[in-house]
Amino acid sequence: MRPLFPTLVGHDQVKQDLFNCLQRGRLRGSFLLVGPEGVGKALFAEQLAMAATCKEEDPNAPLPCGQCGPCGRISRRSSGDFHALAVPEGKTKIPIAAVRAMLDELALAPVESKVRSFVIEGVGDLMEESQNALLKALEEPPETALLLLIAERTCEVLPTILSRCRIVRLGELTEEEVARVLRDKQADQLEFRAAWSAGSPGQALSDEALGAAEACQVLLGELVSEVAYRDPLASVETLGEFVQPGKGEARLQRSRVTRVARLLQRSLRDALVVREGEGQPGIRLSGASSEVLASLAGLPRGRIEAALDVLNRVDQELDRNPNVKLLTDGLVLELGSALAPPRIPSRR
Ligand SMILES: [Zn+2]
């Protein structure tokens, strides 16, 4: 069988579906690649653009080959048939002028291939003005254009844009797949990173990965030993050391809280699975230890669910630009009391 999109680990079914699309001449028009942060959406978009222009004809050779002229020029970003837009470093949105400039390119004929690819990352973060400009382009894209839009969630994208795109969902990778990526990148603490990766090689390789995993691990220990309940200030400090509320960029702090909150969510879901005795042994959402999971699983289901509610609420509040210090303090206090033993009424 022909190796498909060989530089990208995982996503086997999606790879096959898109290869079928390509073979039927239907890798044209607009696609929206959706999936969690760091699962390889941008890399996949680049590989799709390469596959659409690759000159390798050997049916047993990898596709894209990565070696031919068009493949090489796309990977070096010197191809006239490949345009990619990402959020500039230090910014939160792609400037509208950049979106307009790319859309102006759309009408032009391909330089050396049959297809020209246009990749736009963070479509959900585009300003409304940009999304509207994009919408016009999506209404009647030229036959030769392949538009690859990238977002983390479909709910971030205007419904009118969604309805004009074929949606390609890129899910989380397995721990083993993440470990394979980490091995290729020669990452340190590979197993620890993979276990706490949330199925995302990008997240596992990020600067925050180890800090987030450690904070989460310590917090879980404090929750099961009830330290978080009896001495909440210690746990507030644990989270504070990682998040650093008040220092540096608020956006970075929020992304750190988000990360820890989501890792805690995954650990609690693991505990529920252990509690119900469901699921296949060995498949875990988080890197939480068996001891921690066993302690959590020993709690009544309602308490674990109450803790999950706390985390869901925090996740939603994070979208509303909250005060990070208040949020992290509240998170620890509420988690502590959600998971703490019920108070025994004092007798007099
Ligand atoms: Zn090629």
Side-chain angles (χ1 to χ4, degrees):
M1 238 185 52
R2 190 163 193 182
L4 301 174
F5 310 104
T7 58
L8 193 79
V9 173
H11 310 300
D12 292 339
Q13 186 57 51
V14 182
K15 287 176 176 177
Q16 189 59 51
D17 293 347
L18 287 163
F19 175 64
N20 296 343
C21 246
L22 178 68
Q23 286 216 306
R24 291 191 216 115
R26 283 163 55 191
L27 197 60
R28 305 282 170 95
S30 317
F31 291 78
L32 177 70
L33 277 58
V34 185
E37 181 197 339
V39 295
K41 299 184 292 297
L43 190 58
F44 206 166
E46 183 192 75
Q47 291 266 300
L48 278 172
M50 280 188 186
T53 58
C54 181
K55 295 266 195 274
E56 177 59 68
E57 280 167 8
D58 178 354
N60 296 314
L63 182 80
C65 75
Q67 311 283 327
C68 69
C71 278
R73 281 186 280 283
I74 288 178
S75 73
R76 292 192 301 274
R77 295 288 184 272
S78 61
S79 168
D81 291 337
F82 181 78
H83 298 263
L85 274 188
V87 179
E89 191 81 31
K91 295 262 165 64
T92 55
K93 291 186 191 306
I94 297 176
I96 176 131
V99 176
R100 291 229 168 91
M102 179 186 265
L103 295 177
D104 287 344
E105 283 277 329
L106 204 64
L108 305 180
V111 179
E112 61 172 339
S113 334
K114 292 188 195 114
V115 179
R116 294 179 91 205
S117 301
F118 299 84
V119 180
I120 306 183
E121 281 185 56
V123 166
D125 292 328
L126 285 179
M127 279 167 277
E128 208 179 318
E129 210 183 348
S130 301
Q131 289 210 25
N132 284 326
L134 185 59
L135 186 58
K136 273 198 163 164
L138 293 180
E139 271 164 3
E140 274 177 71
E143 268 291 287
T144 53
L146 172 60
L147 274 117
L148 299 164
L149 312 182
I150 296 175
E152 282 184 26
R153 282 175 288 263
T154 49
C155 65
E156 299 167 350
V157 182
L158 285 181
T160 40
I161 289 187
L162 269 188
S163 66
R164 285 170 174 81
C165 293
R166 270 176 281 179
I167 296 176
V168 176
R169 289 185 195 278
L170 297 179
E172 293 173 2
L173 271 63
T174 64
E175 196 176 319
E176 171 48 33
E177 287 168 340
V178 174
R180 241 161 73 202
V181 178
L182 298 184
R183 218 168 285 132
D184 289 346
K185 304 268 180 199
Q186 302 181 333
D188 62 340
Q189 304 197 48
L190 191 148
E191 281 169 22
F192 185 61
R193 282 180 192 267
W196 288 98
S197 65
S200 161
Q203 291 192 40
L205 285 165
S206 77
D207 293 343
E208 314 277 289
L210 295 175
E214 274 154 22
C216 198
Q217 219 169 27
V218 175
L219 271 175
L220 283 169
E222 290 169 352
L223 285 165
V224 297
S225 64
E226 294 168 22
V227 168
Y229 174 63
R230 284 183 278 106
D231 182 12
L233 279 183
S235 301
V236 163
E237 229 169 84
T238 301
L239 186 57
E241 270 168 28
F242 172 61
V243 175
Q244 301 183 356
K247 285 185 212 151
E249 265 184 86
R251 190 169 54 91
L252 196 60
Q253 292 163 15
R254 284 200 299 277
S255 95
R256 290 186 190 133
V257 186
T258 308
R259 215 149 150 169
V260 173
R262 291 195 182 155
L263 290 177
L264 289 171
Q265 270 173 341
R266 297 173 76 92
S267 306
L268 290 170
R269 291 208 193 98
D270 279 342
L272 280 179
V273 172
V274 171
R275 193 176 185 284
E276 306 304 328
E278 300 159 1
Q280 303 154 32
I283 295 188
R284 292 261 192 267
L285 297 172
S286 76
S289 71
S290 323
E291 292 77 30
V292 161
L293 290 182
S295 300
L296 285 171
L299 295 172
R301 189 182 176 96
R303 300 228 309 263
I304 305 176
E305 285 172 344
L308 276 169
D309 286 344
V310 171
L311 291 165
N312 286 337
R313 212 167 54 238
V314 165
D315 212 344
Q316 285 165 13
E317 276 174 38
L318 278 159
D319 288 335
R320 290 186 220 120
N321 219 346
N323 176 318
V324 172
K325 176 86 177 89
L326 288 179
L327 189 78
T328 50
D329 292 1
L331 168 67
V332 172
L333 294 174
E334 287 184 46
L335 272 185
S337 48
L339 294 170
R343 281 194 209 149
I344 302 158
S346 55
R347 283 192 213 154
R348 294 208 155 203

PDB file of all heavy atoms in Angstrom, residues 50-51 53-56 62-72, ligand 1:
ATOM      1  N   MET A  50       1.027  19.608  -0.700  1.00  0.00           N
ATOM      2  CA  MET A  50       2.096  18.888  -1.419  1.00  0.00           C
ATOM      3  C   MET A  50       1.505  17.752  -2.246  1.00  0.00           C
ATOM      4  O   MET A  50       1.854  17.564  -3.410  1.00  0.00           O
ATOM      5  CB  MET A  50       3.088  18.293  -0.435  1.00  0.00           C
ATOM      6  CG  MET A  50       4.091  19.266   0.100  1.00  0.00           C
ATOM      7  SD  MET A  50       5.286  18.288   1.060  1.00  0.00           S
ATOM      8  CE  MET A  50       6.270  19.571   1.744  1.00  0.00           C
ATOM      9  N   ALA A  51       0.601  16.976  -1.617  1.00  0.00           N
ATOM     10  CA  ALA A  51       0.010  15.831  -2.320  1.00  0.00           C
ATOM     11  C   ALA A  51      -0.729  16.292  -3.573  1.00  0.00           C
ATOM     12  O   ALA A  51      -0.731  15.609  -4.595  1.00  0.00           O
ATOM     13  CB  ALA A  51      -0.933  15.078  -1.390  1.00  0.00           C
ATOM     14  N   THR A  53       0.070  18.634  -5.515  1.00  0.00           N
ATOM     15  CA  THR A  53       0.949  19.102  -6.592  1.00  0.00           C
ATOM     16  C   THR A  53       2.118  18.153  -6.855  1.00  0.00           C
ATOM     17  O   THR A  53       2.891  18.379  -7.785  1.00  0.00           O
ATOM     18  CB  THR A  53       1.563  20.483  -6.240  1.00  0.00           C
ATOM     19  OG1 THR A  53       2.264  20.350  -5.021  1.00  0.00           O
ATOM     20  CG2 THR A  53       0.501  21.542  -6.093  1.00  0.00           C
ATOM     21  N   CYS A  54       2.258  17.110  -6.043  1.00  0.00           N
ATOM     22  CA  CYS A  54       3.428  16.223  -6.126  1.00  0.00           C
ATOM     23  C   CYS A  54       3.552  15.590  -7.515  1.00  0.00           C
ATOM     24  O   CYS A  54       2.566  15.159  -8.101  1.00  0.00           O
ATOM     25  CB  CYS A  54       3.305  15.133  -5.053  1.00  0.00           C
ATOM     26  SG  CYS A  54       4.705  14.001  -5.029  1.00  0.00           S
ATOM     27  N   LYS A  55       4.782  15.552  -8.027  1.00  0.00           N
ATOM     28  CA  LYS A  55       5.022  15.025  -9.377  1.00  0.00           C
ATOM     29  C   LYS A  55       5.392  13.530  -9.377  1.00  0.00           C
ATOM     30  O   LYS A  55       5.573  12.942 -10.436  1.00  0.00           O
ATOM     31  CB  LYS A  55       6.178  15.805 -10.036  1.00  0.00           C
ATOM     32  CG  LYS A  55       5.876  17.270 -10.301  1.00  0.00           C
ATOM     33  CD  LYS A  55       5.351  17.471 -11.713  1.00  0.00           C
ATOM     34  CE  LYS A  55       5.375  18.929 -12.134  1.00  0.00           C
ATOM     35  NZ  LYS A  55       4.164  19.656 -11.712  1.00  0.00           N
ATOM     36  N   GLU A  56       5.529  12.954  -8.188  1.00  0.00           N
ATOM     37  CA  GLU A  56       5.928  11.538  -8.105  1.00  0.00           C
ATOM     38  C   GLU A  56       4.792  10.648  -8.626  1.00  0.00           C
ATOM     39  O   GLU A  56       3.678  10.719  -8.112  1.00  0.00           O
ATOM     40  CB  GLU A  56       6.265  11.196  -6.647  1.00  0.00           C
ATOM     41  CG  GLU A  56       6.621   9.757  -6.390  1.00  0.00           C
ATOM     42  CD  GLU A  56       7.818   9.258  -7.191  1.00  0.00           C
ATOM     43  OE1 GLU A  56       8.930   9.728  -6.908  1.00  0.00           O
ATOM     44  OE2 GLU A  56       7.624   8.424  -8.090  1.00  0.00           O
ATOM     45  N   PRO A  62       5.923   7.036  -1.454  1.00  0.00           N
ATOM     46  CA  PRO A  62       5.128   7.803  -0.493  1.00  0.00           C
ATOM     47  C   PRO A  62       4.469   9.009  -1.181  1.00  0.00           C
ATOM     48  O   PRO A  62       5.015   9.541  -2.136  1.00  0.00           O
ATOM     49  CB  PRO A  62       6.161   8.292   0.532  1.00  0.00           C
ATOM     50  CG  PRO A  62       7.379   7.480   0.315  1.00  0.00           C
ATOM     51  CD  PRO A  62       7.345   6.996  -1.103  1.00  0.00           C
ATOM     52  N   LEU A  63       3.313   9.377  -0.684  1.00  0.00           N
ATOM     53  CA  LEU A  63       2.627  10.562  -1.200  1.00  0.00           C
ATOM     54  C   LEU A  63       2.298  11.490  -0.053  1.00  0.00           C
ATOM     55  O   LEU A  63       1.644  11.063   0.886  1.00  0.00           O
ATOM     56  CB  LEU A  63       1.347  10.156  -1.930  1.00  0.00           C
ATOM     57  CG  LEU A  63       0.606  11.345  -2.547  1.00  0.00           C
ATOM     58  CD1 LEU A  63       1.254  11.734  -3.858  1.00  0.00           C
ATOM     59  CD2 LEU A  63      -0.860  11.039  -2.729  1.00  0.00           C
ATOM     60  N   PRO A  64       2.694  12.749  -0.073  1.00  0.00           N
ATOM     61  CA  PRO A  64       3.601  13.357  -1.040  1.00  0.00           C
ATOM     62  C   PRO A  64       5.020  12.821  -0.868  1.00  0.00           C
ATOM     63  O   PRO A  64       5.396  12.387   0.214  1.00  0.00           O
ATOM     64  CB  PRO A  64       3.529  14.841  -0.686  1.00  0.00           C
ATOM     65  CG  PRO A  64       3.191  14.865   0.763  1.00  0.00           C
ATOM     66  CD  PRO A  64       2.296  13.678   0.992  1.00  0.00           C
ATOM     67  N   CYS A  65       5.792  12.913  -1.973  1.00  0.00           N
ATOM     68  CA  CYS A  65       7.131  12.317  -1.917  1.00  0.00           C
ATOM     69  C   CYS A  65       8.088  13.169  -1.088  1.00  0.00           C
ATOM     70  O   CYS A  65       9.030  12.648  -0.504  1.00  0.00           O
ATOM     71  CB  CYS A  65       7.674  12.111  -3.331  1.00  0.00           C
ATOM     72  SG  CYS A  65       8.210  13.641  -4.139  1.00  0.00           S
ATOM     73  N   GLY A  66       7.843  14.467  -1.047  1.00  0.00           N
ATOM     74  CA  GLY A  66       8.728  15.352  -0.287  1.00  0.00           C
ATOM     75  C   GLY A  66      10.042  15.637  -0.995  1.00  0.00           C
ATOM     76  O   GLY A  66      10.861  16.407  -0.487  1.00  0.00           O
ATOM     77  N   GLN A  67      10.234  15.005  -2.174  1.00  0.00           N
ATOM     78  CA  GLN A  67      11.535  15.113  -2.857  1.00  0.00           C
ATOM     79  C   GLN A  67      11.451  15.909  -4.171  1.00  0.00           C
ATOM     80  O   GLN A  67      12.424  16.519  -4.577  1.00  0.00           O
ATOM     81  CB  GLN A  67      12.053  13.704  -3.231  1.00  0.00           C
ATOM     82  CG  GLN A  67      12.009  12.691  -2.115  1.00  0.00           C
ATOM     83  CD  GLN A  67      13.127  12.907  -1.126  1.00  0.00           C
ATOM     84  OE1 GLN A  67      14.214  13.344  -1.504  1.00  0.00           O
ATOM     85  NE2 GLN A  67      12.860  12.632   0.131  1.00  0.00           N
ATOM     86  N   CYS A  68      10.301  15.831  -4.844  1.00  0.00           N
ATOM     87  CA  CYS A  68      10.211  16.444  -6.179  1.00  0.00           C
ATOM     88  C   CYS A  68      10.247  17.975  -6.069  1.00  0.00           C
ATOM     89  O   CYS A  68      10.173  18.531  -4.971  1.00  0.00           O
ATOM     90  CB  CYS A  68       8.938  15.981  -6.880  1.00  0.00           C
ATOM     91  SG  CYS A  68       7.430  16.616  -6.148  1.00  0.00           S
ATOM     92  N   GLY A  69      10.324  18.641  -7.222  1.00  0.00           N
ATOM     93  CA  GLY A  69      10.412  20.104  -7.233  1.00  0.00           C
ATOM     94  C   GLY A  69       9.284  20.781  -6.460  1.00  0.00           C
ATOM     95  O   GLY A  69       9.553  21.524  -5.506  1.00  0.00           O
ATOM     96  N   PRO A  70       8.008  20.520  -6.836  1.00  0.00           N
ATOM     97  CA  PRO A  70       6.909  21.205  -6.131  1.00  0.00           C
ATOM     98  C   PRO A  70       6.885  20.897  -4.623  1.00  0.00           C
ATOM     99  O   PRO A  70       6.678  21.812  -3.817  1.00  0.00           O
ATOM    100  CB  PRO A  70       5.657  20.634  -6.807  1.00  0.00           C
ATOM    101  CG  PRO A  70       6.110  20.201  -8.164  1.00  0.00           C
ATOM    102  CD  PRO A  70       7.525  19.759  -8.009  1.00  0.00           C
ATOM    103  N   CYS A  71       7.124  19.633  -4.236  1.00  0.00           N
ATOM    104  CA  CYS A  71       7.150  19.297  -2.799  1.00  0.00           C
ATOM    105  C   CYS A  71       8.221  20.115  -2.081  1.00  0.00           C
ATOM    106  O   CYS A  71       7.967  20.707  -1.028  1.00  0.00           O
ATOM    107  CB  CYS A  71       7.456  17.813  -2.589  1.00  0.00           C
ATOM    108  SG  CYS A  71       6.029  16.733  -2.773  1.00  0.00           S
ATOM    109  N   GLY A  72       9.412  20.129  -2.676  1.00  0.00           N
ATOM    110  CA  GLY A  72      10.537  20.844  -2.064  1.00  0.00           C
ATOM    111  C   GLY A  72      10.243  22.330  -1.918  1.00  0.00           C
ATOM    112  O   GLY A  72      10.512  22.931  -0.876  1.00  0.00           O
TER     113      GLY A  72
HETATM  114 ZN    ZN B   1       6.578  15.242  -4.512  1.00  0.00          ZN
END
